[in-house]
Amino acid sequence: MKILAIESSCDETAAAVLENGTTVLSNIINTQIDTHKRYGGVVPEIASRMHIENINKVIDTALSEAKVTFDDIDAIAVTYGPGLVGALLVGVSAAKGLSYALNKPLIPVHHIKGHICANYIENPDFKPPFVCLVASGGHSHIVHVKDYNTYEVLAKTCDDAAGEAFDKVSRVLGLGYPGGPAVQTEAEKGNPEAIRFPRVNMGEDGFDFSFSGVKTAVINYIHNAEQKGIEINKADVAASFQEAVVDVLSSHLMDCAIKCGVKKIALAGGVASNKPLRERIEEKAKKNGFELSFPSPILCTDNAAMIGCAGYYAYQNGEVAGLDLNAVASLPLN
């Protein structure tokens, strides 16, 4: 089965062709990072307009690289939420148009499920059940993946997502956008124990996240130093902030997995590319006898291959949408 997948939830216009869920025939990503850098973050209206400019070219390139035509495609999968509603609408509209014109099934895909399914692409032997940390610019979730189509949210952020906090701290430190790679690079020169920034545990079990507090603590630290005329060590601030985030993400993931009684854990999302986070979770997994999976960095970004993979399993479960499918900016993960 060949699926043409489309992803446009934020600032990447992406299309991919997958065969039988995990064989990637093409995975094309057109990123808008250079455009949004000048603003220090994603500008939704600009993102939407750039998706319109790029969507057809990206789809054509995906088909060409996969050496297939529309006639070879069996179904169209598309991200319909969560994300920026204007950006989502571009992908959803393109997918509905193709579904109608080609008379092919339309598969609606949840963006977070796509991130989780990225683990199957390079590691098809890694199968549910497992507990997955999904951390990105817009999401911080811990999800119990009971089978390919059954998900239970164990924890999520109450305010800022981890990636969002990285972006904001990077901005106040003058390190640029996107914040994740910029903070990690600066942190490599600093001492992660130089400053003790807060770690917050929220929710009934203490598994939920809150990154607004640590972000504010960093901003206050910098402003207080400026008011007193004290020069800050950017590398120490970056390293100490990163350490706080890594500490919370890794400990909550392990605590959730232990509570669920599973021995398999996974990472997904843009923040899953963070080297110290991967190393910390690898260390904890080895110590506790857990099997660990995480995708390559390219599959941690917003990409269409992961949407095609999730779409394959959704289709096997009978999940097909009509032409009334709409974008849902705050789509919950069921």
Side-chain angles (χ1 to χ4, degrees):
M1 179 181 184
K2 291 184 177 67
I3 291 177
L4 170 63
I6 298 170
E7 153 65 28
S8 67
S9 64
C10 190
D11 60 340
E12 269 86 30
T13 314
V17 178
L18 273 76
E19 188 171 70
N20 296 331
T22 57
T23 300
V24 180
L25 303 183
S26 65
N27 187 27
I28 307 302
I29 304 171
N30 183 289
T31 182
Q32 303 174 12
I33 286 177
D34 288 343
T35 298
H36 296 288
K37 261 183 183 177
R38 71 190 75 172
Y39 307 106
V42 178
V43 180
E45 178 65 18
I46 293 175
S48 302
R49 291 176 182 273
M50 291 189 71
H51 284 310
I52 293 171
E53 293 173 4
N54 294 316
I55 189 74
N56 287 337
K57 291 180 286 186
V58 167
I59 291 172
D60 287 343
T61 304
L63 293 170
S64 176
E65 188 171 298
K67 295 181 173 56
V68 299
T69 68
F70 283 125
D71 290 338
D72 300 311
I73 299 299
D74 297 299
I76 314 293
V78 64
T79 305
Y80 76 110
L84 302 175
V85 68
L88 287 165
L89 279 168
V90 177
V92 169
S93 297
K96 289 199 294 185
L98 288 172
S99 173
Y100 177 77
L102 302 173
N103 194 26
K104 306 287 186 181
L106 177 65
I107 309 170
V109 177
H110 193 291
H111 183 74
I112 294 177
K113 291 181 182 179
H115 274 304
I116 293 170
C117 288
N119 281 282
Y120 307 138
I121 293 173
E122 295 172 319
N123 189 6
D125 292 332
F126 187 80
K127 300 176 181 178
F130 59 89
V131 172
C132 185
L133 169 66
V134 184
S136 66
H139 314 286
S140 291
H141 285 62
I142 297 178
V143 181
H144 186 191
V145 183
K146 297 182 178 181
D147 62 43
Y148 289 107
N149 293 289
T150 307
Y151 302 79
E152 179 187 1
V153 177
L154 303 176
K156 59 184 178 180
T157 185
C158 299
D159 38 61
D160 289 357
E164 184 180 358
F166 269 99
D167 286 341
K168 291 177 179 177
V169 167
S170 181
R171 186 184 308 160
V172 77
L173 286 172
L175 301 177
Y177 173 84
V183 170
Q184 179 179 311
T185 299
E186 185 69 18
E188 290 171 354
K189 301 177 286 186
N191 176 10
E193 299 179 358
I195 309 155
R196 176 72 183 183
F197 288 123
R199 279 78 161 155
V200 179
N201 304 317
M202 303 285 286
E204 184 178 337
D205 296 314
F207 295 155
D208 284 342
F209 303 112
S210 171
F211 295 109
S212 179
V214 66
K215 170 207 68 182
T216 302
V218 173
I219 293 172
N220 288 341
Y221 177 89
I222 295 169
H223 287 173
N224 288 336
E226 289 174 347
Q227 290 169 1
K228 295 174 182 178
I230 300 171
E231 184 178 351
I232 67 165
N233 184 319
K234 286 188 178 183
D236 282 352
V237 174
S240 299
F241 161 74
Q242 180 176 257
E243 174 63 22
V245 175
V246 167
D247 189 15
V248 170
L249 289 174
S250 60
S251 61
H252 285 206
L253 171 62
M254 295 304 302
D255 289 345
C256 283
I258 291 169
K259 181 181 179 181
C260 286
V262 301
K263 300 297 287 184
K264 297 164 74 173
I265 56 176
L267 304 181
V271 179
S273 295
N274 181 272
K275 185 179 177 184
L277 177 63
R278 289 191 180 211
E279 290 175 346
R280 183 71 54 81
I281 292 177
E282 279 186 294
E283 178 185 323
K284 287 177 178 282
K286 185 176 180 181
K287 180 179 178 181
N288 291 276
F290 281 72
E291 182 182 350
L292 171 63
S293 173
F294 48 76
S296 296
I298 190 65
L299 292 177
C300 289
T301 63
D302 289 346
N303 66 90
M306 69 183 192
I307 302 304
C309 182
Y312 173 80
Y313 292 111
Y315 187 71
Q316 303 303 313
N317 196 44
E319 298 176 30
V320 177
L323 294 177
D324 58 347
L325 179 69
N326 202 359
V328 184
S330 300
L331 183 68
L333 178 62
N334 297 326

